[in-house]
Every structure is written in structure tokens, then in C-alpha cells.
């Protein structure tokens, strides 16, 4: 089969002909129909994150059709449309059994540690394949598996309850999903913080109250809008030291700050003023869980989560075109979200 693979860090991906992967008794072989090209893939290609093997087929946002299932598989069958949970875990350990499989000691991410979806086929444990309803295109299904799922998990970590106020720092792919999903979970007012007017406009279109941090102090403005109270839940989805700090400082009594943007700088907080006085919590949020995905897909099927704006371009399984899109992501030259589409 054709696979577009990373051969060495910092080098363009290459087309290789490799065998169709072998699938075991509990696995499903998937004919890939759509694979999202994610910003993480640009980091991987550049060599900024250690890879599980080389060469490796990139691609962790995958949707397709079940081609074959192993004899022990009952959850899906050949011919079904599915999208794939990208973390593959043992299924047996304490973390796997308690539904927190991302902490499994053997967890491997497709397209990062093992071969992913920039290929014609992928083999995966059948439990990682979730049914994709007809109403959702393969392209949309693929992209749901990354940013939207991660935003959903962050909201769960923040324990958003009916009527609570939510602030979302950063209106990118994560933030736009978070705004809609916060509403779906019953949130009251949702404040969207960004510095780009077009992003703030998009956030307003999805029902958020925009906070333009290019001309206002985001924390002061959130305090003003909440009549001094601060928000119940604040989500950080950028990963900048300044926004991490603002996320924590915008909380009200019993507020929860959920940090999902990757930031390597230390965070300075005043334990008394910021945490103790408010009984506030700072929570880390990483990736998402298999059990969250069927719920997320159903919200997309019912159009409660609209991700129709996400995919701005489709391209074939072609090394040159994929490298070009990764260059764009690397250089921020064009704000495109491309998906590799393979027709049936
Ligand atoms: Zn991704
Ligand atoms: Zn495990």
C-alpha cells in the first residue's frame, strides 16, 4: 500500500510502498478515507518530539471504513464507517480498566509512536474504532478525533455544570470547539478571549461574549462582565505564560482553571489571594478519553457541535502536497486546516 512516511527528523515526508499492516484477533483493519493534517504533525516532522520509530507513517486524526475484523471482534464489522481514537493502550491495567487509558504505561499514539493514517490502511485494536454516523463526513470525523475531543475532555476536567460561567482563552480549533461544547454541557455565559478580530467574530457567532485582549486587560474585563465575581471555569488553550496566569486569575469562588495549552514556563501564583481565598483549583488536562468520543460524535451528529468551518481544504494522499501543507503550518503562512481524502 501507499504510505507517506517520516524517514528522518527535519526531512520532507516520503512516499513508500509498504505491506498492508497485519491485524490480529482483536483488531480491525481500516481502509482510510480521511486523515487530518495537524499542527502536531509539523512538530513531529521537524524533529521537535521524539518519535516511537523511524521510518513512521504520520497521521493521528483518522476516519475510514472497516475492511476486516479479527475473529474476537464484536464491536464493529466490515463495511462500517468509523473514526479512530488515537491512543492505543493495553486495555488490561488499572488505568485502562478505570477508563483513564492515557496513563497506561504502554500507551502509544498512532502517527507518533506507531504507524498512523497518512496511508491507505491502518490496523488498530477494534475498541479504538468508534462508529461514525452517515450525517458526519469522513473529513469532519477525522478532525473530531483531535482538537474537539481535547476541548471536550478539558471541559469534563473543569466539571462544568448547568448555568456556570466559562472563559475560554484562545479561539483556535480547541477554543471554538470548547465554546460550543461548554454550551452543550449547560454552561451559562461563555467568554472568549483572543487578540484577533476574526477569531473573536467567529466566537461571537457561536454564542460567546468576545473579550479582545489586544486592547483590554482580559482579567479585568472578565471581572467587569461577571460583576466582580470571576468565572466558574476558565480554560487555557494557547500555552502562553501570560494566558496561563490570566486563566487562573479570572476565577471566582470555587473556580476551576483547566490548563490544556502546552506551556513549559513556571506559573507564579499567590496561594492566599488566588487559590485559598477562592478555594480555586488549577487542573491539568491532557488529550482525551475513548469513552468521551461516542458522546462527542453524537453532539456533532445533532449539529450541537458544528465543525463545518474546520476543514478548509482537502488534498489527495500525495507526499508533495502533504509536505506543502506541513510547511504552511510550520510557517503560519496560511490559516488552513487540510485533510487528506481518499475516495472509496
Ligand atoms: Zn491533531
Ligand atoms: Zn493499560
Amino acid at each position: 500500500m501507499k504510505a507517506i512516511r517520516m524517514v528522518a527528523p527535519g526531512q520532507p515526508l516520503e512516499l513508500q510502498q509498504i505491506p498492508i499492516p497485519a491485524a490480529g484477533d482483536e483488531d480491525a483493519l481500516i481502509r482510510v478515507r480521511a486523515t487530518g493534517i495537524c499542527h502536531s504533525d509539523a512538530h513531529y516532522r521537524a524533529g521537535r518530539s521524539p518519535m516511537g520509530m523511524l521510518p513512521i507513517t504520520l497521521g493521528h486524526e483518522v476516519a475510514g471504513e472497516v475492511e476486516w475484523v479479527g475473529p474476537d471482534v464484536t464491536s464493529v464489522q466490515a463495511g462500517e464507517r468509523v473514526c479512530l481514537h488515537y491512543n492505543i493502550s493495553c486495555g488490561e491495567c488499572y488505568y485502562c480498566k478505570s477508563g483513564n487509558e492515557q496513563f497506561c504505561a504502554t500507551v502509544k499514539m498512532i502517527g507518533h509512536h506507531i504507524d498512523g493514517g497518512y496511508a491507505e490502511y491502518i490496523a488498530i485494536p477494534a475498541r479504538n474504532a468508534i462508529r461514525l454516523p452517515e450525517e458526519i463526513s469522513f473529513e469532519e470525523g477525522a478532525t473530531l478525533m483531535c482538537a474537539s475531543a481535547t476541548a471536550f475532555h478539558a471541559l469534563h476536567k473543569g466539571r462544568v455544570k448547568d448555568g456556570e460561567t466559562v472563559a475560554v482563552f484562545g479561539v483556535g480549533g480547541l477554543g471554538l470547539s470548547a465554546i460550543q461544547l461548554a454550551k452543550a454541557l449547560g454552561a451559562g455565559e461563555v467568554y472568549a478571549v483572543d487578540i484577533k478580530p476574526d477569531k473573536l467574530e467567529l466566537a461571537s457567532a457561536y454564542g460567546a461574549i468576545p473579550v479582545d485582549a489586544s486592547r483590554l486587560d482580559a482579567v479585568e474585563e472578565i471581572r467587569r462582565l461577571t460583576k466582580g465575581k470571576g468565572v466558574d471555569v476558565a480554560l487555557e488553550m494557547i500555552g502562553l505564560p501570560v494566558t496561563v496566569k490570566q486563566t487562573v486569575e479570572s476565577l471566582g469562588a470555587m473556580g476551576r482553571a483547566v490548563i490544556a495549552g502546552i506551556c513549559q514556563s513556571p506559573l507564579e501564583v499567590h496561594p492566599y489571594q488566588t487559590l485559598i481565598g477562592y478555594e480555586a483549583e488549577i487542573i491539568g488536562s491532557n488529550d482525551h478519553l475513548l469513552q468521551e468520543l461516542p458522546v462527542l460524535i453524537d453532539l456533532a451528529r445533532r449539529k450541537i457541535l458544528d465543525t463545518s468551518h474546520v476543514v478548509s481544504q482537502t488534498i489527495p494522499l500525495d507526499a508533495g502536497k502533504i509536505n506543502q501543507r506541513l510547511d504552511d503550518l510550520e510557517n503560519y503562512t496560511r490559516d488552513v486546516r487540510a485533510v487528506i481524502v481518499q475516495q472509496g
Side-chain angles (χ1 to χ4, degrees):
M1 67 168 186
K2 272 165 67 175
I4 310 298
R5 311 190 82 200
M6 174 174 167
V7 177
Q11 297 295 313
L13 306 183
E14 286 177 18
L15 168 67
Q16 292 188 345
Q17 289 289 338
I18 58 171
I20 292 176
D25 290 355
E26 296 181 356
D27 295 341
L29 180 69
I30 310 298
R31 176 69 176 93
V32 177
R33 295 292 177 215
T35 312
I37 298 181
C38 183
H39 212 122
S40 306
D41 297 334
H43 291 303
Y44 300 157
R45 188 188 63 165
R48 285 191 288 270
S49 177
M51 306 304 284
M53 58 190 223
L54 282 174
I56 184 170
T57 309
L58 297 191
H60 56 270
E61 305 177 357
V62 187
E65 273 161 342
V66 179
E67 180 86 11
W68 177 90
V69 294
D72 296 347
V73 174
T74 53
S75 57
V76 288
Q77 50 191 19
E80 275 186 314
R81 306 170 84 246
V82 291
C83 44
L84 307 184
H85 178 39
Y86 59 55
N87 280 332
I88 296 177
S89 58
C90 78
E92 299 295 329
C93 71
Y94 167 76
Y95 294 114
C96 285
K97 289 224 153 112
S98 62
N100 296 291
E101 73 279 353
Q102 55 168 319
F103 302 113
C104 175
T106 69
V107 71
K108 289 190 171 71
M109 181 180 173
I110 60 171
H112 188 196
H113 305 117
I114 52 173
D115 281 335
Y118 288 10
E120 290 178 288
Y121 293 91
I122 183 171
I124 195 155
R127 67 173 180 278
N128 278 59
I130 306 121
R131 280 202 194 88
L132 184 66
E134 291 291 339
E135 294 94 322
I136 307 174
S137 69
F138 286 122
E139 296 95 290
E140 227 173 306
T143 55
L144 281 175
M145 295 296 96
C146 192
S148 299
T150 300
F152 200 36
H153 184 62
L155 287 159
H156 285 150
K157 295 299 290 181
R159 310 189 302 278
V160 175
K161 290 191 286 286
D162 261 357
E164 287 195 325
T165 51
V166 176
V168 177
F169 285 79
V171 187
L174 280 170
L176 272 180
S177 288
I179 291 165
Q180 299 178 61
L181 291 167
K183 297 264 179 195
L185 291 171
E189 284 179 342
V190 177
Y191 307 99
V193 184
D194 208 290
I195 53 169
K196 294 204 175 126
D198 53 327
K199 304 250 166 155
L200 291 167
E201 215 169 285
L202 204 48
S204 307
Y206 285 110
I209 297 161
V211 174
D212 183 351
S214 73
R215 45 181 206 88
L216 295 165
D217 180 297
V219 174
E220 277 174 22
E221 181 62 5
I222 286 170
R223 293 259 166 224
R224 190 185 72 78
L225 291 165
T226 54
K227 300 184 178 63
K229 276 173 68 185
V231 288
D232 298 304
V233 178
L235 306 178
E236 206 288 335
M237 320 208 100
I238 308 169
L240 292 174
V242 57
T243 44
V244 173
K245 195 159 184 290
Q246 289 174 333
T247 301
V248 177
E249 289 176 349
S250 63
L251 295 179
M254 296 178 285
R256 287 87 69 196
V258 182
I259 315 298
I262 294 167
C263 178
Q264 311 263 26
S265 308
L267 166 67
E268 200 175 274
V269 291
H270 296 281
Y272 180 63
Q273 294 94 317
T274 312
L275 296 180
I276 298 170
Y278 286 109
E279 292 202 340
E281 299 171 50
I282 303 174
I283 301 165
S285 182
N286 185 27
D287 269 343
H288 50 267
L289 301 170
L290 175 60
Q291 57 180 313
E292 292 167 327
L293 297 177
V295 187
L296 181 76
I297 290 166
D298 195 55
L299 289 170
R301 182 186 64 78
R302 289 153 57 204
K303 306 282 179 225
I304 292 170
L305 171 64
D306 170 25
T307 57
S308 57
H309 62 275
V310 172
V311 180
S312 52
Q313 190 190 33
T314 60
I315 60 170
L317 186 67
D318 174 273
K321 292 200 166 72
I322 293 169
N323 280 312
Q324 221 167 61
R325 290 292 79 83
L326 290 170
D327 293 344
D328 290 341
L329 289 170
E330 192 68 50
N331 305 321
Y332 292 93
T333 43
R334 291 167 59 196
D335 201 3
V336 292
R337 191 71 162 83
V339 175
I340 305 163
V341 172
Q342 304 179 60
Q343 303 303 339

